[in-house]
Structures are given as C-alpha cells and as structure tokens.
Amino acid sequence: MINVHVLNGPNLNLLGRREPQIYGSTTLADIEKLVRDKGEALGLAITFRQSNHEGHLVDWIQEAGAQGAGIVINAGAYTHTSIALRDAIAGSGAPTVEIHLSNVHAREGFRHRSLIAPVSVGVICGFGPTSYLLGLEAVHRVMVERARLPKPSQH
Ligand code: CA2
C-alpha cells in the first residue's frame, strides 16, 4: 500500500478560528477529514500531522523517507525560511509535493520565495483546502509512475 504523510507547519492549527478572510473558515480537522476520505478513495494509507516546531517537521520528513512514503507538505511560514526542511526533504528521498491554501504569489514579496520548492516534485497553491486534495492526487500519481518504471542500473 502507498503511504503518504501529510505534514502541516506553524499556525495551521489556527485555521478556521482566525483570519478567515485570508485562510477561510475550514478548520485543520475539517481538512484532515477531506484528506482521509480522498486517501481512502485512492487506496492510500494517510498519516496527518501538524506542528509549530521546525524540528518535529524535520523528524517527520525523515520518518516518511525511512518508510518509503510520499509527502504532501504545507510548511506554512517555514516554507520561506527553513534550510533545515529543505535539507530534510532532499535527504529523505521522499517524493514531496509542496502545497499552500493561499496563492502565495499574489501576496507579500517574502512569500514568493520557497526554499523547499527546488527539492519538491512540484508546488500547488491558491485552491484553499482543495490544494491538499490536488497535492494528494499528484503525489499518488508520481509514486505509481515511479513504481512502474524500471530501477536505474547501478553501473
Ligand atoms: O497559504 C498557505 O497555506 C501558507 O502556507 C499559510 C502560512 C503562510 O505563512 C504561508 O506563506 C502560506 C500561514 C499559516 C497561518 O495560518 C493561520 C491561520 C489562521 C490564523 C492565523 C494563521
């Protein structure tokens, strides 16, 4: 069975309770339910986590890599600052899709740069909670495709 870890960074625990004009009224628990339903439809095993602490996210990325799992990550503000997350994703070998609720490119300049995008398979942003479902579908497709391709020879 394909495993996907859906990881959420700082302040995403506040979703639906503050700043609804930017992030909407859906809570992280609502998003988890949507992700679990979509995961079931795709036949995926889902691990869904949130932390405000960078090191927890690093540990979870390493764990996903060790399990051969894929990652869908909304790293929140760490997206724009964290070399540690970038190194963890690169080192994990886990196919990773970066996602955001908001269209970060339509917002402040400091949100236009992502340190994790260059080590991710791709980026999805601007679709609200649907970004999570698109991210899940994308990582699923990448993992199915990679499993189908012959392994590169060692020579
Ligand atoms: O759009 C996204 O998903 C973001 O990752 C959200 C982050 C932001 O720093 C990124 O630039 C884009 C912020 C998450 C904070 O969420 C809150 C929710 C409610 C109230 C306050 C913060």
Side-chain angles (χ1 to χ4, degrees), residues 11-12 14 18-19 23 74 76-77 80 100-102 104 111:
N11 295 309
L12 287 161
L14 298 177
R18 311 253 176 86
E19 302 197 69
Y23 297 113
N74 183 350
H80 318 297
H100 300 282
L101 294 154
S102 63
V104 286
R111 296 187 203 275

